[in-house]
Amino acid sequence: MKIPQDQKAIEFSDLHNTPGKMLILPNAWDVPSARMFENSGFQAVATSSAGLFASKGFEDGESIGRKRFLESIKSIGKVLSVPLSVDAVAGFGKSTKELKLTVKGLIEAGAVGLNIEDFEHRTKKLFPTEIQKRKISAIVEVGENIGVKVFVNARTDALRYFEGDDDEKFMEAVHRCREFREAGAGCVYPMGLVRREDIDRFLKELNGYPINIMIRAGTPSLNELEGMGIKRVSFGPGASYATLGLLKKISSEVLNERRTDSLINGAITYEELISLTEPRNE
Amino acid sequence: MKIPQDQKAIEFSDLHNTPGKMLILPNAWDVPSARMFENSGFQAVATSSAGLFASKGFEDGESIGRKRFLESIKSIGKVLSVPLSVDAVAGFGKSTKELKLTVKGLIEAGAVGLNIEDFEHRTKKLFPTEIQKRKISAIVEVGENIGVKVFVNARTDALRYFEGDDDEKFMEAVHRCREFREAGAGCVYPMGLVRREDIDRFLKELNGYPINIMIRAGTPSLNELEGMGIKRVSFGPGASYATLGLLKKISSEVLNERRTDSLINGAITYEELISLTEPRNE
């Protein structure tokens, strides 16, 4: 039975607020990767913009264009029954009107969650905090108007791109996350938060508000993060990196050792591949 | 320096006729997988229709439609400098005119090789041999007219779908491959040829003509196949199966063991992912 999208949005929001539990979000980049994550038991599935755009031959950022982006998300939305959260980069558009078009299109494509960034990919410049707050409010508003309370994960890249020393970067990221929270973000996502002591400090500054941490080499283990009070982790483009690493390994084995072990062992079947494309939301 | 496409077509044909050497063709399904194979040192890259269509949420066969299919191939062609061979299913069209449109579009997208099947995906019925021969001749003709001698790998599914006992299936596959060779195919591809004794017998029947074998569990090793006189092997959708198998493993580790080893170990970097989308043929 199909779960109505407004209920899925509430369900997704609730996954960030279960005492003692951390939501683990895998980021997909195409139809079979998304469905494989759902079939494997994840409670929700996210997308990675870097992974999705690269798979189609586009750079990271927004060079893919809104139309193609929405088409891709629609194809993924069709095969999922768990909540779908989409990385919407900076919203595909300079004006609030354009941003709203993107958000409306994403909700229609099946999204109940959304990531929004506070910098421009091309220039690596941070948007003013006030402008970003208005964007977040606009997203929340679109969701309310449609009747699907889209859950916003507000990303800040202040730790990377704010001009200042490490402490100034840190405090700017904290400041932005507090402001984004006020504008309606249900979770905040300080990109570049890796070390345990930094995560602990950030958690204290945010007073227990849901923070998203991207899993990468160097981050604490999943159990440690959950114990610290992190409410959500995501793979980012990590699973794209991992599968391409496997192709590199397969290639090296085949070309240098004339072996096909990594190609054949652990592979799924033709029938399973095809089943990963079957629509679910109908 | 860009190698002209007509030269690439000759180079690709020559790779099937190097004494004692077997061409190993990896089948990609999107931009980064194709470029990863090229970067890893393969002399040519092929596509897998099952893998490519599934990644976009389409079933195997031709439900993706010619337009989207050509767009996908174009995006892959843009990032490769080695010869590209495309799995064109049954040619996307019932008439010779439609088939020619497909072939022209594929050559314009950068293909110098082409796989063509002799059955209809929906019904699993084999096309009459004479009709398939005309299709192969038409493909060769389009290539000659454009000035890019497209190399045809003619697949037969007689081993799977011809009505008869195992020996009748085998002899029908042999018959078809001989006929396809006469129509201009540079290589033939009997789908379902797995066991060493069957491959040996097929090679004898074809009198040393290039045969493509799909690598799968149960086929002889790469060195054995080369020693037997096989001129070309391909992965088919095998690398798609392998990467989705890895996603399954990553998911199980994360959800059941709270570990991220398979997600992080062996992964490529962000910079490498982005580099896999950079155009090469310009």
Side-chain angles (χ1 to χ4, degrees), chain A residues 258-276:
Chain A
R258 290 280 176 136
R259 290 194 297 118
T260 54
D261 307 47
S262 294
L263 178 64
I264 288 170
N265 301 339
I268 67 166
T269 63
Y270 177 79
E271 289 68 28
E272 192 168 357
L273 175 69
I274 299 305
S275 77
L276 295 173

Side-chain angles (χ1 to χ4, degrees), chain A residues 151-169:
Chain A
F151 183 90
V152 180
N153 181 40
R155 170 170 156 178
T156 179
D157 281 63
L159 290 172
R160 302 203 291 169
Y161 302 131
F162 185 69
E163 283 182 33
D165 62 26
D166 282 356
D167 203 57
E168 285 163 334
K169 283 179 201 285

Side-chain angles (χ1 to χ4, degrees), chain B residues 96-197:
Chain B
T96 308
K97 197 180 156 192
E98 286 176 303
L99 169 69
K100 285 183 168 181
L101 270 181
T102 305
V103 176
K104 191 166 170 282
L106 287 175
I107 295 174
E108 284 168 1
V112 298
L114 222 132
N115 270 26
I116 188 89
E117 299 175 352
D118 67 347
F119 74 107
E120 197 188 341
H121 257 271
R122 200 177 47 81
T123 59
K124 312 294 180 209
K125 290 241 188 258
L126 294 169
F127 302 131
T129 306
E130 280 311 308
I131 289 188
Q132 190 65 6
K133 283 179 76 176
R134 256 179 272 155
K135 283 174 114 170
I136 293 166
S137 304
I139 296 168
V140 171
E141 195 191 313
V142 174
E144 279 170 359
N145 289 343
I146 295 178
V148 175
K149 288 194 178 175
V150 66
F151 183 89
V152 180
N153 180 40
R155 170 170 156 177
T156 179
D157 282 62
L159 290 172
R160 302 202 292 167
Y161 302 131
F162 185 70
E163 284 183 32
D165 63 25
D166 282 357
D167 203 58
E168 285 163 335
K169 283 178 200 286
F170 192 90
M171 286 319 295
E172 177 67 16
V174 166
H175 167 70
R176 284 179 172 246
C177 287
R178 284 179 180 149
E179 295 289 316
F180 297 165
R181 181 178 68 182
E182 231 174 66
C187 185
V188 289
Y189 182 13
M191 179 53 72
L193 211 51
V194 177
R195 295 185 311 166
R196 191 190 167 107
E197 56 267 38

Side-chain angles (χ1 to χ4, degrees), chain A residues 21-22 24 26 29-34 36-37 40-43 50-51 53-61 68 71 75 79 121 124 215-219 221-223 226 235 237-248 250-255 257-260 262-274 276-277, chain B residues 21-22 24 26 29-34 36-37 40-43 50-51 53-61 68 71 75 79 121 124 215-219 221-223 226 235 237-248 250-255 257-260 262-274 276-277:
Chain A
K21 287 278 263 179
M22 177 175 77
I24 304 176
W29 58 94
D30 62 8
V31 170
S33 59
M36 178 55 89
F37 287 135
S40 297
F42 285 99
Q43 296 176 285
F53 302 161
S55 78
K56 295 177 191 308
F58 292 92
E59 285 174 30
D60 201 4
R68 272 178 213 269
E71 271 173 22
S75 68
V79 300
H121 258 271
K124 311 294 179 210
I215 296 299
R216 65 205 316 180
T219 46
S221 73
L222 295 171
N223 283 336
E226 190 169 64
F235 289 1
S240 291
Y241 303 160
T243 59
L244 286 157
L246 175 62
L247 291 191
K248 192 186 263 191
I250 287 172
S251 301
S252 166
E253 274 185 14
V254 164
L255 291 171
E257 304 170 39
R258 290 280 176 136
R259 290 194 297 118
T260 54
S262 294
L263 178 64
I264 288 170
N265 301 339
I268 67 166
T269 63
Y270 177 79
E271 289 68 28
E272 192 168 357
L273 175 69
I274 299 305
L276 295 173
T277 68
Chain B
K21 285 278 263 180
M22 178 174 76
I24 304 176
W29 58 94
D30 63 7
V31 170
S33 60
M36 178 55 88
F37 287 135
S40 297
F42 286 99
Q43 294 176 287
F53 301 159
S55 78
K56 295 179 190 309
F58 292 91
E59 285 174 31
D60 200 3
R68 272 177 213 270
E71 271 174 20
S75 69
V79 300
H121 257 271
K124 312 294 180 209
I215 296 299
R216 64 202 323 178
T219 46
S221 74
L222 295 172
N223 282 336
E226 190 170 67
F235 289 1
S240 291
Y241 303 159
T243 57
L244 286 158
L246 175 63
L247 291 192
K248 192 185 263 192
I250 287 171
S251 301
S252 165
E253 274 184 16
V254 164
L255 291 171
E257 304 170 39
R258 290 280 175 137
R259 291 194 298 117
T260 53
S262 295
L263 178 64
I264 288 170
N265 301 338
I268 66 166
T269 63
Y270 177 79
E271 289 68 29
E272 192 168 357
L273 175 70
I274 299 306
L276 295 173
T277 67

